[in-house]
Coordinates of all heavy atoms in Angstrom, one line a residue:
V1 N 0.9 -1.3 0.0 CA 0.0 0.0 0.0 C 0.9 1.2 -0.1 O 0.7 2.2 -0.7 CB -0.9 0.0 1.2 CG1 -1.6 1.3 1.3 CG2 -2.0 -1.0 1.1
D2 N 1.9 1.3 0.8 CA 2.8 2.4 0.9 C 3.5 2.6 -0.5 O 3.6 3.8 -0.9 CB 3.8 2.2 1.9 CG 3.4 2.4 3.3 OD1 2.2 2.9 3.6 OD2 4.0 1.9 4.3
M3 N 3.9 1.6 -1.1 CA 4.6 1.7 -2.4 C 3.6 2.2 -3.4 O 3.9 3.1 -4.3 CB 5.1 0.3 -2.9 CG 5.7 0.3 -4.3 SD 6.3 -1.4 -4.8 CE 4.8 -2.0 -5.1
L4 N 2.3 1.8 -3.4 CA 1.2 2.3 -4.3 C 1.1 3.8 -4.1 O 1.0 4.5 -5.1 CB 0.0 1.4 -4.2 CG -1.2 2.0 -5.1 CD1 -0.8 1.8 -6.6 CD2 -2.5 1.1 -4.7
H5 N 1.0 4.1 -2.9 CA 0.8 5.5 -2.6 C 1.9 6.5 -3.1 O 1.8 7.6 -3.5 CB 0.6 5.9 -1.0 CG -0.7 5.6 -0.5 ND1 -1.8 6.3 -0.8 CD2 -1.2 4.4 0.3 CE1 -2.9 5.8 -0.2 NE2 -2.6 4.6 0.4
K6 N 3.2 6.0 -2.9 CA 4.3 6.7 -3.3 C 4.2 6.8 -4.9 O 4.7 7.9 -5.5 CB 5.6 6.0 -2.9 CG 5.9 6.2 -1.4 CD 7.2 5.4 -1.1 CE 7.4 5.5 0.4 NZ 8.4 4.6 0.9
R7 N 3.9 5.8 -5.5 CA 3.8 5.8 -7.0 C 2.7 6.7 -7.5 O 2.9 7.4 -8.5 CB 3.7 4.4 -7.6 CG 4.9 3.5 -7.4 CD 4.8 2.2 -8.0 NE 6.0 1.4 -7.8 CZ 6.3 0.2 -8.5 NH1 5.4 -0.2 -9.2 NH2 7.4 -0.3 -8.2
I8 N 1.5 6.6 -6.8 CA 0.5 7.5 -7.2 C 0.9 9.0 -7.0 O 0.5 9.8 -7.9 CB -0.9 7.2 -6.5 CG1 -1.4 5.8 -7.0 CG2 -1.9 8.4 -6.6 CD1 -2.5 5.4 -6.1
S9 N 1.6 9.3 -6.0 CA 1.9 10.8 -5.8 C 3.0 11.3 -6.8 O 3.1 12.4 -7.1 CB 2.6 10.8 -4.4 OG 3.9 10.3 -4.4
K10 N 3.6 10.3 -7.6 CA 4.3 10.8 -8.7 C 3.8 11.0 -10.1 O 4.4 11.6 -11.0 CB 5.4 9.7 -8.9 CG 6.5 9.4 -7.8 CD 7.5 8.3 -8.3 CE 8.3 8.0 -7.1 NZ 9.3 6.8 -7.5
L11 N 2.4 10.7 -10.0 CA 1.8 10.9 -11.2 C 1.4 12.4 -11.4 O 1.5 13.2 -10.5 CB 0.3 10.3 -11.2 CG 0.4 8.6 -11.2 CD1 -1.1 8.1 -10.9 CD2 0.9 8.1 -12.5
Q12 N 1.0 12.8 -12.7 CA 0.6 14.2 -12.9 C -0.8 14.4 -12.2 O -1.5 13.5 -11.9 CB 0.3 14.4 -14.5 CG 1.8 14.4 -15.2 CD 2.6 15.4 -14.7 OE1 2.2 16.6 -14.7 NE2 3.9 15.2 -14.6
P13 N -1.0 15.5 -11.7 CA -2.3 15.9 -11.0 C -3.6 15.4 -11.6 O -4.4 14.8 -11.1 CB -2.3 17.4 -10.9 CG -0.9 17.9 -11.0 CD -0.2 16.9 -12.0
F14 N -3.8 15.4 -13.0 CA -4.9 15.1 -13.7 C -5.0 13.5 -13.5 O -6.0 12.9 -13.3 CB -5.0 15.5 -15.2 CG -6.2 15.2 -15.8 CD1 -7.3 16.0 -15.7 CD2 -6.3 14.1 -16.7 CE1 -8.5 15.7 -16.4 CE2 -7.5 13.9 -17.4 CZ -8.7 14.8 -17.1
D15 N -3.9 12.7 -13.8 CA -3.9 11.4 -13.7 C -4.1 10.9 -12.3 O -4.8 9.8 -12.0 CB -2.5 10.7 -14.3 CG -2.5 10.9 -15.8 OD1 -3.6 11.1 -16.5 OD2 -1.5 10.8 -16.3
R16 N -3.5 11.6 -11.3 CA -3.7 11.3 -9.9 C -5.2 11.4 -9.6 O -5.6 10.5 -8.8 CB -2.8 12.2 -9.2 CG -2.7 11.8 -7.8 CD -1.7 12.6 -6.9 NE -0.6 13.2 -7.6 CZ -0.3 14.5 -7.4 NH1 -0.9 15.3 -6.6 NH2 0.7 15.0 -8.2
A17 N -5.8 12.4 -10.1 CA -7.2 12.7 -9.8 C -8.1 11.4 -10.2 O -9.0 10.9 -9.5 CB -7.8 14.0 -10.4
I18 N -7.8 11.0 -11.5 CA -8.6 10.0 -12.1 C -8.3 8.6 -11.2 O -9.4 8.0 -10.9 CB -8.1 9.7 -13.6 CG1 -8.6 10.8 -14.4 CG2 -8.7 8.4 -14.1 CD1 -8.1 10.9 -15.8
V19 N -7.1 8.3 -10.8 CA -6.8 7.2 -10.0 C -7.6 7.3 -8.7 O -8.2 6.3 -8.3 CB -5.4 6.8 -9.9 CG1 -5.1 5.9 -8.8 CG2 -4.7 6.5 -11.2
L20 N -7.4 8.3 -8.0 CA -8.1 8.5 -6.7 C -9.6 8.4 -6.8 O -10.3 7.8 -6.0 CB -7.6 9.6 -6.1 CG -6.1 9.9 -5.6 CD1 -5.7 11.2 -5.2 CD2 -5.7 8.8 -4.8
L21 N -10.2 9.0 -7.8 CA -11.7 8.8 -8.0 C -12.1 7.3 -8.3 O -13.0 6.9 -7.7 CB -12.2 9.7 -9.1 CG -12.1 11.3 -8.9 CD1 -12.4 12.2 -10.2 CD2 -13.1 11.6 -7.7
W22 N -11.2 6.6 -9.1 CA -11.5 5.2 -9.3 C -11.3 4.5 -8.0 O -12.1 3.5 -7.9 CB -10.4 4.8 -10.4 CG -10.6 3.3 -10.7 CD1 -11.6 2.7 -11.4 CD2 -9.6 2.2 -10.4 NE1 -11.3 1.4 -11.5 CE2 -10.3 1.1 -10.9 CE3 -8.5 2.3 -9.7 CZ2 -9.6 -0.2 -10.7 CZ3 -7.9 1.1 -9.4 CH2 -8.4 -0.1 -10.0
L23 N -10.3 4.8 -7.2 CA -10.1 4.0 -6.0 C -11.3 4.3 -5.0 O -11.6 3.7 -4.0 CB -8.8 4.5 -5.3 CG -7.6 3.9 -5.9 CD1 -6.4 4.5 -5.3 CD2 -7.6 2.4 -6.0
E24 N -12.1 5.4 -5.2 CA -13.2 5.8 -4.5 C -14.5 5.0 -5.0 O -15.5 5.1 -4.6 CB -13.6 7.2 -4.5 CG -12.7 8.1 -3.8 CD -13.0 8.5 -2.3 OE1 -14.2 8.3 -2.1 OE2 -12.0 8.6 -1.6
N25 N -14.2 4.1 -6.0 CA -15.2 3.2 -6.5 C -16.3 4.0 -7.3 O -17.5 3.5 -7.4 CB -16.0 2.2 -5.4 CG -15.1 1.2 -4.8 OD1 -14.2 0.6 -5.6 ND2 -15.1 1.0 -3.6
L26 N -15.9 5.1 -7.9 CA -16.8 5.8 -8.8 C -16.8 5.1 -10.2 O -15.8 4.6 -10.6 CB -16.5 7.3 -8.9 CG -16.6 8.1 -7.7 CD1 -16.0 9.6 -8.0 CD2 -17.9 8.2 -7.2
S27 N -17.9 5.2 -10.9 CA -18.1 4.7 -12.1 C -17.2 5.5 -13.1 O -16.9 6.7 -12.9 CB -19.5 4.6 -12.6 OG -20.0 5.8 -12.8
Y28 N -16.9 4.9 -14.3 CA -16.2 5.7 -15.4 C -17.0 6.8 -15.8 O -16.3 7.9 -16.1 CB -15.9 4.8 -16.4 CG -14.8 3.8 -16.3 CD1 -14.2 3.5 -15.1 CD2 -14.4 2.8 -17.4 CE1 -13.3 2.5 -14.9 CE2 -13.5 1.9 -17.2 CZ -12.9 1.7 -15.9 OH -11.9 0.8 -15.7
E29 N -18.4 6.8 -15.8 CA -19.1 7.9 -16.3 C -19.0 9.0 -15.2 O -18.9 10.2 -15.6 CB -20.7 7.4 -16.4 CG -20.9 6.4 -17.6 CD -20.5 5.0 -17.3 OE1 -20.3 4.6 -16.1 OE2 -20.3 4.3 -18.3
E30 N -19.1 8.7 -13.9 CA -19.0 9.7 -12.8 C -17.6 10.4 -13.0 O -17.5 11.6 -12.9 CB -19.2 9.1 -11.6 CG -20.6 8.6 -11.3 CD -20.8 8.0 -10.0 OE1 -20.0 6.9 -9.7 OE2 -21.7 8.4 -9.2
I31 N -16.6 9.5 -13.2 CA -15.3 10.2 -13.1 C -15.2 11.0 -14.4 O -14.7 12.1 -14.3 CB -14.1 9.0 -13.3 CG1 -14.1 8.1 -11.9 CG2 -12.7 9.6 -13.6 CD1 -13.3 6.9 -12.1
G32 N -15.7 10.6 -15.5 CA -15.7 11.4 -16.7 C -16.3 12.8 -16.6 O -15.8 13.8 -16.9
Q33 N -17.5 12.7 -15.8 CA -18.2 14.0 -15.7 C -17.4 15.0 -14.7 O -17.4 16.0 -14.9 CB -19.6 13.7 -14.9 CG -20.6 13.1 -15.9 CD -21.8 12.7 -15.2 OE1 -22.0 12.7 -13.9 NE2 -22.8 12.5 -16.0
I34 N -16.7 14.4 -13.7 CA -16.0 15.1 -12.8 C -14.9 15.8 -13.4 O -14.6 17.0 -13.2 CB -15.6 14.4 -11.6 CG1 -16.9 13.9 -10.7 CG2 -14.6 15.0 -10.6 CD1 -16.7 12.8 -9.7
V35 N -14.1 15.0 -14.2 CA -12.9 15.6 -14.7 C -13.0 16.2 -16.2 O -12.1 16.7 -16.7 CB -11.6 14.6 -14.7 CG1 -11.3 14.1 -13.3 CG2 -12.0 13.3 -15.6

């Protein structure tokens, strides 16, 4: 989990946002609307 968090923090802000929304169990449609 620590390794995953470190790797996610290295992503660009837009990509990081997509991953974090996905980890919140939002659907692709909801993520798409948000970003």
Side-chain angles (χ1 to χ4, degrees):
V1 170
D2 287 343
M3 182 178 65
L4 180 60
H5 282 283
K6 287 177 185 173
R7 289 181 180 192
I8 289 173
S9 71
K10 293 178 183 178
L11 293 172
Q12 294 296 316
F14 189 75
D15 290 343
R16 191 175 332 135
I18 291 173
V19 168
L20 294 175
L21 291 169
W22 179 73
L23 289 172
E24 292 270 335
N25 290 323
L26 294 177
S27 69
Y28 288 2
E29 290 79 20
E30 290 173 309
I31 295 170
Q33 287 177 347
I34 292 166
V35 299

